[in-house]
Amino acid sequence: MEFTLTSWPVIGAGVASLVFLLLAIRPLRRSLITRPVFAAYRKVLPQMSETERDALEAGTVWWEGELFRGKPDWQKLQSYPVPKLTAAEQSFLDHECEEACRLVDDWKVTHELYDLPHEAWRYIKDKGFLGMIIPKKYGGLEFSAYAHSQVVTKLSTRSSALSVSVMVPNSLGPAELLLHYGTEAQKDYYLPRLAKGIEVPAFALTSPWAGSDAASIPDAGVVCKGMWQGKEVIGMRVSWDKRYITLAPVCTVFGLAFHLYDPEGLLGDKKHIGITCALVPYDHPGVDTGRRHFPLNAMFMNGPTRGKDVFMPLDFIIGGPKMAGQGWRMLMECLAAGRSISLPSSNTGMAQMTARAVGGYARVRSQFKMAVGKFEGVEEALTRIGAYTYMMDAVRKMTAGAVDLGEKPSVVSAIAKYHVTERARQVVNDGMDVIGGKGICLGPSNFLGRAYQQVPVAITVEGANILTRSLIIFGQGAIRCHPYLLAEMQAAQNPDSGKGLVDFDKALFGHIGFTVKNALRALGLGLTGSHFVGVNADVAPEMKRYYQQLTRFSAAFAFLSDVSLLVLGGSVKRREKLSARLGDILAQMYLISCTLKRYEADGRKQEDAALAHWAIWDAMYKAQQAFDGVIANFPVRSIAGLVNRLIFPWGHPYVVPSDEVGHQVAKALIAPSATRERLCAECFVPQEENEPVGAIELALRATLEAEAIEAKIREAEKAGRFDANPRANVRDIAMVAAECGVITAAEYEVMRRRNHLRDIVVQVDDFPFDYNVATANKPAECRKAA
């Protein structure tokens, strides 16, 4: 048979028709294509433990799902309500929180008392700080998640011990678990007592042998019979050894997680019932609490709890006997809410305090006859401090708002925890660089040293940051957020193979179409620079390009994720570096989304635009670097090259953020302004000069008032008016200028006041040789020995 040139279109049409029929006739498609793929997929899909399944299925998918799908709906983002405080919540923030902060001196807490003062403990209990999440019908405050976040943020600008002591009872622990799973009797007894501070709660999960791998705790209980309140009952004999338990040394009741076994079948046929959560009074026979750790001198109460063969009735189980073995699911379902609020809020508070105090210090402190905050090298640090604080606060607010909407955002909470705490680390490090020697000498006048010392605490707790980045954000995000991946896995694990095949077929071909569309969109958006992307929302014109570029990055990320999952399969879980970088892309897109949302929520204030521009540009650049990191280390180099050409056909769109924009950010930190007030809105700001932050605020205002006068003195100095006067030094030159008639008496008074406050700000503390030392050699003895 001879084929002519006109025959090929007919042959091509025939082939296309056959392919179309093959794909369109589902029974045929399932038989010829899906069935062998389904069989192979079931073989390679690793078995999932019950604890892994509980962790994976816990929580909800929120905005991160839009970013994972490759085509974010910007109208959806803008339609999320902006969190607001009620009148009662605002009053609590303005009055009770202010008073709680006033009652705490962080130097005394961390260096003398090693605890909050008695009056502070009494105040936070009496005013309901420990019951913010408890409903009013039980005597609690019933605050929104946003109000909870605002309170923790404010307290964190004053003292970590204060904020953590309030934060923990309102996070994952007895109150949260009782509200969701407790019996009515447990709720009626414990919740009013927790709300009033009669009970102080803790939650004991971490073991010396199971930290990040919390499901592997060796702590165990055995169902057995024993005596309780004079009667023989079925109960549990539990042994545990826990550490790092916040509030354990002072708690009156604590939640306890352990594996429960029933070897005699007293509760049923199941021998290993599973992880169980019980509520245990601190004075229950056999309970050992009271010793403490010192987590980097933070001085919030934290310590171990232990017990050996402690008998407790089944009624101690949160939710009663029917909830035996459900503890891991309970913890996973409640984890997202606490993780969305606690550490993002406390670290944002720390960043706000750093931005306000370091910015003010940088204007008050002069070297080389110029405020240190005006040196470009210092500006670089101030820029990161300001822009990161702006973004951190945006993430905190939007994520807390999600909880108020009823979401349990497991992936978003992990993003917020990791990236807010990492940016807080950078903010505090930069702050320490700016204030120099002032920061390294501890004492009552050091406003940043303890924060610097304690930064690793937030990095470590509620999921260590290395683990969170390398295993959770993308590892959990890929399965939860992908529109088809979880459906494919569930279909493959369906014991009904026929039903599983049908479901798998639907998910598989949906997945194929999804990948192809995102590949084409990523290429198209790359070729056009995303300039023609329509943004389906009313957004600030100066921010529109970020929405377009974020749409491009979303499509590229969705495609790159699918390619990675296809090529690496189940091994992507072990490729932690690649998984971490994929997670970085998703996380940076979420941070940018929060920042864009905040800019709109704040009313598109032009004076704040530099903060948003620098923070977003920096995050875009970091996302671009993460793309590069995945592609550069992709195991199949031919695919890596193809993906790189497709995602970045004309090269990289982003470079480091602009120095000029950074200059505008730094300027906003070193002078009073509405922008500075909004950036540091939750800061507790004393007005007394014997308070380190208060002294900086007073000195900043005095410095600005004196700058014009100081300029006159500098001109006179340049003209040689003081050349013959040995007192015309940096400290005393104002006095000399007044004596020489360069400035008036009133102007000298302004300079004198400025100098007085400046000297308070720049001073560091010193102590007697044997201060706070039980036994010490005297200086003379040390010199003699030397």
Side-chain angles (χ1 to χ4, degrees), residues 23 366 372:
L23 296 178
S366 291
V372 298

Side-chain angles (χ1 to χ4, degrees), residues 103-121 292 294 299 301 771-772:
L103 290 171
V104 174
D105 179 325
D106 197 54
W107 173 249
K108 289 183 178 178
V109 167
T110 59
H111 196 71
E112 297 175 13
L113 300 174
Y114 295 170
D115 189 9
L116 292 177
H118 174 76
E119 56 268 30
W121 270 116
R292 69 182 296 186
F294 286 110
M299 295 309 158
M301 286 294 168
Y771 175 74
N772 215 35

Side-chain angles (χ1 to χ4, degrees), residues 296 477 552 686 727:
L296 294 175
R552 172 187 176 181
R727 292 186 299 121

Side-chain angles (χ1 to χ4, degrees), residues 579-601:
S579 179
R581 294 179 186 117
L582 287 164
D584 288 344
I585 302 169
L586 176 62
Q588 298 298 340
M589 292 194 296
Y590 179 71
L591 302 186
I592 295 165
S593 299
C594 293
T595 307
L596 291 169
K597 175 70 173 176
R598 174 180 182 171
Y599 188 75
E600 292 291 334

